[in-house]
Amino acid sequence: MILFKRFLKNPLSVVGFVLIIFFFLVAIAAPWLAPPERACPSVVYYLVPDWLLRPFMTDLPCEPFKMPRDGFKATPLPPNPEAWKTFFPPDWHLHPLGTTENRYDIWYGLVWGTRNALVAGILIVGCTLLVGLIYGSVSGFYGRLVDAVMMRIVDFVFALPTFLMTLVLVSIWGRGLDKIIFISIIFGWAGYARFTRGNILAVRELEYVAAAKALGANDRRIIFRHVLPNTIYPILILASLDVGSIVLGLSGFSFLGLGSGEDYSDWGQMIAFARNRIVGAAGGDLLQYWYTWIYPGITITLFVLAWNLLGDAVRDILDPRLRGSRRA
Amino acid sequence: MIAFIVRRLLFLPLLWLAITFIIFLCLEPLGPYQRVTLFINISPESFGRGGKLTQEQLQRLIDKYGLADPAPIQYGRWLKQIIFDHNFGWSKVAQKPVIDALLERLPATTELALYAIIPVVFVAIWLGVISAVHHNRPLDHITRFVSITGYSIPIFVFGIFMLMYFYGVLQWFPPGRNSLWAERIIFASHQFIRYTGLNTVDALLNQRLDILVDSLRHLALPVLTLAYLNWAALLRVTRSSMLETLRQDYITTARAKGLPEHIVVQKHAKRNALIPVTTISANIVAGLIGGVVITETIFNYKGVGIFSLDATLQFDIPTVLGVALFGTTLIVITNLVVDILYAIIDPRVRYD
């Protein structure tokens, strides 16, 4: 409760929190804010992005995450105020925020891009956290040689140049968001493992662990029923705050053209489209295509900002070394 | 001290070997026929008379270079080629050996990275110290606010904005590495001697002010974008480390014996606060690699970054491997230098 009060005292962190709620709402309401062209036969297609389905299904009957295209011209269309005259949500067929390169609707792309970003971010955090928790607990609980070897492996994973490894793997496997996400998971767990291990080491010698051992509990039971539940909350919070930077990294890869396919709702991809439209048509308004850049740009920035604001506040609260300064 | 450095010197080559092994493992799924294109220098001359290698010729190549051998043997051979023959394979994208293509593009990237990183380090450390000294006062709040918005704007959004405004609207800073006329002088003229490959330095040495101005105009935006990627992170680390140091007992002692505040801050606190900052400099180098690729792509600045991205998108595996090995080596060397510096600055590390 004290922590929560301290959290409320910092207005910036509240702004961050509200923004995150907003993005979650947009992601949840995506089928209502921007209804896909055709209704899908199953709700699965709305919830699970294509990159997650494709490894298991060859033929997708319905792809709501793909941006609809208005005709076959390349030039963007400006925002249409007509679209806003209808009751909210605006009709994306009229392009409330305009279209980007190749006439992909920006409103549709941003709305479904939010869902895509959150699903990807949460998936990556969830998987890396799971691996890190298990790895770190085993390492911390057994200690000695096991610990030494396992931590050297963690050091090694830390030292791997992730960006370069991604380039290597993408050049072999081909581009795709599924591959980028898989790569982020296999290189991303080391930090959580180290953090968990530290916490486990602190808890391991406490009496209740000895008591559990005396009662004849086996190692697995001690780790997962007694030790882990007592150490898990700080890491859960810190990990959930990583969603912002992870989404930022993913959209960076999409911007470079290593991520999603061309028509996929992905913020980084939309910025890449804007790159082709930096200058307006010759002789005309130089900022003619401002909308291709500004809407996706603001969306990504707000998203990352929200997580950073919240993260900063929470880290300050969790870090006992900085607590003294707050009272002063 | 010497034992520490020796230990590090032994560990880092091991790290390098392990990373090359991981990179090699990534190639395992490829069959011998795909592999044939990777490690062997297939220049146009090695093609048959019909212009294409026949099946038998390919088979002979596979046998000759042992591409169907067990993985460990191939790994050893690959490593030997790289270390002793400097043979990274043939780059499809550049149409020349990978090592030549890489060395050709390296000065451009070096120039970009040097200009981006050196001023940033000083400005960020300076601001971080000031922010910590003025903790929880307006100056600190402003710096924090600017840095938090700073690191929330993705580098590619920032870069596109710079390009739109300063090139699209104002026409001040064009993309690319040089204007056409300057490129013609730099690469084709005999009067212009390329001493270092860094265009700005060469222009000065050749006393060509027009080329210097042209190079600087092209460098301004990429340098700003790349610098922007790093300064916020560095500032945060400096600030929090400085805050912690300022609360140490020895700082109170220094103040108690009557030293002026600026001496306490500059001499006693800042030096110690900079120790954690040295550790993240390795992270900065790793981050720079990704940043360089994005920045070069945005501004079409032809360096190693754009080269590696083109290679990745065109499945030019030898080139990507070459760049990855090069980058890994760079990171390993920076780590080594940072570790040794760290041990010199902070005696506690040596006894760890």
Side-chain angles (χ1 to χ4, degrees):
Chain A
M1 220 43 227
I2 302 166
L3 295 184
F4 188 66
K5 265 185 196 152
R6 197 178 291 154
F7 172 75
L8 282 184
K9 256 191 200 164
N10 186 344
L12 281 181
S13 57
V14 176
V15 171
F17 188 66
V18 170
L19 272 174
I20 290 172
I21 299 283
F22 168 75
F23 276 108
F24 268 100
L25 287 179
V26 170
I28 291 166
W32 176 69
L33 288 170
E37 202 94 58
R38 288 179 295 138
C40 289
S42 158
V43 86
V44 175
Y45 301 106
Y46 290 115
L47 292 177
V48 188
D50 307 12
W51 44 263
L52 207 57
L53 285 174
R54 229 172 259 291
F56 309 106
M57 301 173 72
T58 44
D59 202 24
L60 290 179
C62 163
E63 292 160 324
F65 282 86
K66 290 206 163 169
M67 285 187 278
R69 191 174 173 167
D70 186 356
F72 289 93
K73 282 186 180 149
T75 46
L77 288 173
N80 184 357
E82 286 293 313
W84 294 99
K85 280 187 183 151
T86 57
F87 187 66
F88 192 86
D91 183 10
W92 60 262
H93 293 92
L94 298 173
H95 312 309
L97 301 179
T99 74
T100 185
E101 172 93 349
N102 292 344
R103 302 245 161 128
Y104 293 116
D105 186 59
I106 293 180
W107 169 268
Y108 192 96
L110 289 182
V111 167
W112 284 90
T114 311
R115 184 172 271 214
N116 179 48
L118 280 171
V119 170
I122 291 169
L123 183 80
I124 293 177
V125 167
C127 290
T128 45
L129 187 62
L130 195 68
V131 175
L133 274 177
I134 295 172
Y135 192 96
S137 336
V138 170
S139 174
F141 186 78
Y142 288 104
R144 292 166 195 275
L145 191 64
V146 178
D147 184 40
V149 172
M150 286 176 93
M151 280 300 117
R152 286 300 80 73
I153 295 175
V154 166
D155 287 345
F156 172 66
V157 175
F158 254 119
L160 282 176
T162 319
F163 188 88
L164 293 170
M165 296 305 291
T166 312
L167 286 191
V168 171
L169 286 172
V170 169
S171 72
I172 294 167
W173 293 341
R175 60 180 255 179
L177 213 51
D178 47 344
K179 284 139 196 156
I180 300 275
I181 286 169
F182 178 68
I183 295 167
S184 323
I185 292 171
I186 54 176
F187 292 123
W189 53 272
Y192 301 139
R194 191 178 275 179
F195 195 88
T196 312
R197 173 204 174 244
N199 285 339
I200 298 277
L201 280 183
V203 172
R204 200 179 53 160
E205 304 301 331
L206 296 180
E207 277 93 354
Y208 72 88
V209 177
K213 220 176 254 172
L215 284 171
N218 62 16
D219 289 347
R220 208 179 59 195
R221 190 178 166 87
I222 296 177
I223 295 179
F224 292 108
R225 293 301 295 274
H226 298 281
V227 176
L228 208 51
N230 280 297
T231 56
I232 205 168
Y233 290 105
I235 190 173
L236 274 186
I237 294 171
L238 289 179
S240 62
L241 293 171
D242 284 345
V243 171
S245 56
I246 282 169
V247 168
L248 178 64
L250 283 183
S251 53
F253 282 117
S254 287
F255 171 78
L256 290 176
L258 304 176
S260 53
E262 197 205 77
D263 53 356
Y264 204 73
S265 305
D266 186 303
W267 296 337
Q269 170 102 346
M270 297 176 81
I271 298 283
F273 281 139
R275 186 175 167 267
N276 302 334
R277 297 285 164 186
I278 285 163
V279 193
D285 179 10
L286 286 171
L287 280 178
Q288 190 185 353
Y289 300 120
W290 56 274
Y291 46 86
T292 59
W293 171 80
I294 202 96
Y295 293 124
I298 286 180
T299 311
I300 305 184
T301 307
L302 280 183
F303 187 83
V304 181
L305 182 72
W307 290 96
N308 281 341
L309 286 176
L310 191 67
D312 250 30
V314 173
R315 275 187 201 103
D316 275 4
I317 291 171
L318 287 181
D319 187 358
R321 280 171 308 183
L322 287 173
R323 221 169 274 165
S325 67
R326 215 157 294 273
R327 248 179 269 128
Chain B
M1 182 75 193
I2 299 211
F4 174 83
I5 292 177
V6 168
R7 218 164 51 211
R8 289 275 103 181
L9 279 175
L10 287 178
F11 172 69
L12 287 170
L14 274 182
L15 180 68
W16 188 84
L17 276 181
I19 294 177
T20 55
F21 186 67
I22 296 276
I23 292 177
F24 184 81
L25 272 188
C26 300
L27 293 177
E28 262 311 280
L30 298 177
Y33 283 103
Q34 286 160 300
R35 231 168 252 254
V36 108
T37 56
L38 305 191
F39 304 125
I40 303 164
N41 181 355
I42 307 185
S43 49
E45 300 90 73
S46 68
F47 281 75
R49 209 167 278 152
K52 272 190 177 151
L53 285 162
T54 61
Q55 182 77 22
E56 288 153 52
Q57 280 171 314
L58 271 179
Q59 196 55 51
R60 228 179 303 138
L61 277 175
I62 291 173
D63 291 342
K64 185 178 170 196
Y65 293 102
L67 292 175
D69 288 354
I73 298 175
Q74 289 197 42
Y75 172 65
R77 202 183 294 126
W78 179 60
L79 216 56
K80 192 183 131 256
Q81 264 195 0
I82 287 168
I83 297 173
F84 296 108
D85 312 335
H86 305 298
N87 179 7
F88 288 86
W90 179 259
S91 165
K92 271 183 280 181
V93 173
Q95 286 299 315
K96 54 175 72 171
V98 170
I99 184 82
D100 294 353
L102 200 59
L103 289 178
E104 202 173 82
R105 288 162 174 78
L106 196 57
T109 304
T110 316
E111 198 170 24
L112 173 61
L114 280 183
Y115 284 123
I117 201 68
I118 291 174
V120 158
V121 170
F122 289 106
V123 172
I125 289 177
W126 177 68
L127 270 177
V129 169
I130 288 189
S131 180
V133 169
H134 295 254
H135 187 215
N136 278 345
R137 269 181 272 166
L139 193 64
D140 182 32
H141 289 308
I142 293 170
T143 328
R144 280 187 87 179
F145 180 76
V146 173
S147 87
I148 206 169
T149 28
Y151 70 70
S152 295
I153 304 176
I155 175 170
F156 44 93
V157 174
F158 182 77
I160 297 277
F161 169 70
M162 295 308 246
L163 198 58
M164 263 192 173
Y165 193 69
F166 289 105
Y167 170 61
V169 179
L170 298 178
Q171 304 267 323
W172 286 356
F173 303 121
R177 193 178 176 207
N178 276 108
S179 306
L180 261 177
W181 62 266
E183 227 155 61
R184 228 170 270 145
I185 296 171
I186 294 169
F187 293 102
S189 155
H190 294 293
Q191 274 100 45
F192 193 93
I193 307 159
R194 304 184 69 214
Y195 299 98
T196 57
L198 311 177
N199 282 348
T200 44
V201 179
D202 285 350
L204 271 181
L205 290 176
N206 284 299
Q207 297 169 347
R208 288 295 300 258
L209 274 181
D210 51 342
I211 290 183
L212 176 70
V213 171
D214 183 70
S215 299
L216 286 178
R217 278 184 62 194
H218 285 82
L219 268 171
L221 290 183
V223 162
L224 200 64
T225 309
L226 194 57
Y228 155 86
L229 174 73
N230 288 295
W231 78 274
L234 204 57
L235 190 154
R236 273 159 60 82
V237 174
T238 316
R239 178 179 170 276
S240 63
S241 157
M242 190 71 188
L243 275 180
E244 223 170 282
T245 315
L246 280 174
R247 221 166 297 137
Q248 303 277 326
D249 289 340
Y250 75 91
I251 296 291
T252 319
T253 314
R255 283 188 185 135
K257 63 183 189 189
L259 285 179
E261 185 66 21
H262 73 269
I263 301 245
V264 174
V265 169
Q266 294 297 333
K267 282 251 158 95
H268 291 73
K270 190 173 162 187
R271 282 199 184 173
N272 280 304
L274 285 186
I275 292 171
V277 180
T278 23
T279 28
I280 71 151
S281 47
N283 295 11
I284 288 182
V285 173
L288 262 184
I289 292 176
V292 159
V293 176
I294 293 182
T295 312
E296 287 185 1
T297 310
I298 296 171
F299 297 103
N300 197 22
Y301 184 91
K302 297 239 161 39
V304 178
I306 234 176
F307 179 49
S308 59
L309 184 68
D310 282 348
T312 309
L313 289 173
Q314 294 176 33
F315 300 103
D316 182 355
I317 301 175
T319 307
V320 182
L321 284 184
V323 175
L325 275 178
F326 176 78
T328 308
T329 316
L330 192 73
I331 292 176
V332 166
I333 292 176
T334 346
N335 275 327
L336 179 70
V337 173
V338 166
D339 278 349
I340 292 174
L341 272 182
Y342 205 29
I344 293 172
I345 303 173
D346 186 355
R348 281 172 302 181
V349 176
R350 276 174 248 159
Y351 307 110
D352 205 7

